[in-house]
Amino acid sequence: MLRSTIGHTKQHGPRGRAATTAALAALAVLALAAATVGCTPETVDGAPAAPSTTPRGTATDDAKPATSRPPSPEASPSSPRATETPTPQRDPQGTVLMKSGSEGRQVRELQARLRQIGHFDRSPTGYYGTVTVAAVRSFQGKRGLVATGRTDTLTWQKLLGMTHAPTAAELHPPTTRPVGKPDKRCMTGRVLCISKNSRTLSWMIDGRVLSSMDVRFGSQYTPTREGTFSVYWKSRHHVSTIYHTAMPYAMFFSGGQAVHYSADFAARGYSGASHGCVNVRDEGKIAALFDQVRTGDKVVVYG
């Protein structure tokens, strides 16, 4: 087509040359349009250029979105949750010496001293648990101190001033709970003095306590009888003919009821009950007691 157009221009003179020039210009525009439709722009290194639309944020090394949008409150560096640390509470009464979770000899001494003045109702354990926290709060409240439950220097000093240094027996008492006050029937002779209220047994001779131990009693359906009895039979390796269970170191005092060692009591504590007998959970203590008690010795069971 181009050839024919040029030839045609030669034949028609200047006027034909002008027409040819116009035709060539039109063809150039058409060729340029055809060359650019659908093409992808390239960068100087040949890689595709970034799209013209704004990209979404991408993760950077610190995991924050790489956008100009303000970060969310949860991720904001100025967020109190991200930057603030709780200010440690200072005890208003001095340095904290012991608190919940503490353990050791000083905790045992603390418990023994609190027990001396009626704020701790069980044997010292050496562990600062919820009972000790409550006991310390009780002591602090009655002495006009801030009841934090923690043993600080001021609380400790006040407690030291009101109590005496615990004896070995006070630091390591023979029973879990305080031994019950002996019944007046226990004050003479050789007696197994058994308190249902304190759940303790004391071996006494002429009003003097020689040993004490934790005991457990029968349930409401098989209660342990109360009253004054005497040991009428001892059986070291006894087995119940009714329940077919072992009753080591049995000392019978009323029908089929006896003082004896109970493996169940040793394992489960007070979550269980006997069938009327007086259970002892410390096998060493009941074995020693069995060797000392004689047939005919008195047994007093009281509430």
Side-chain angles (χ1 to χ4, degrees), residues 11 27 51 54 90 150 156 236:
Q11 293 174 7
L27 287 173
T54 304
R90 298 190 63 183
R150 300 184 295 269
W156 184 241
R236 185 181 294 272

Side-chain angles (χ1 to χ4, degrees), residues 194 199-201 213-218 224 246-247 253 258-266 269-270 272-282 286:
I194 303 169
R199 295 187 286 191
T200 58
L201 178 155
M213 56 203 74
D214 294 322
V215 291
R216 186 178 71 172
F217 303 98
T224 303
M247 298 170 54
F253 61 87
V259 176
H260 68 85
Y261 170 72
S262 168
D264 180 75
F265 183 24
Y270 291 102
S274 74
H275 291 99
C277 288
V278 179
N279 290 165
V280 177
R281 62 177 165 189
D282 190 317
I286 188 67

Side-chain angles (χ1 to χ4, degrees), residues 98 104-128 131-132 135-136 139 151 156 159-160 162-173 176 178:
M98 292 166 277
R105 192 187 186 287
Q106 191 176 23
V107 175
R108 186 178 290 274
E109 181 181 349
L110 167 71
Q111 293 166 336
R113 287 179 181 271
L114 289 169
R115 183 175 177 177
Q116 289 175 12
I117 53 178
H119 288 279
F120 193 75
D121 65 350
R122 59 190 63 189
S123 295
T125 62
Y127 179 77
Y128 206 118
V131 175
T132 306
V136 171
F139 173 79
T151 303
W156 184 241
L159 183 60
L160 292 179
M162 298 178 61
T163 56
H164 62 263
T167 64
E170 288 175 321
L171 290 170
H172 300 275
T176 302

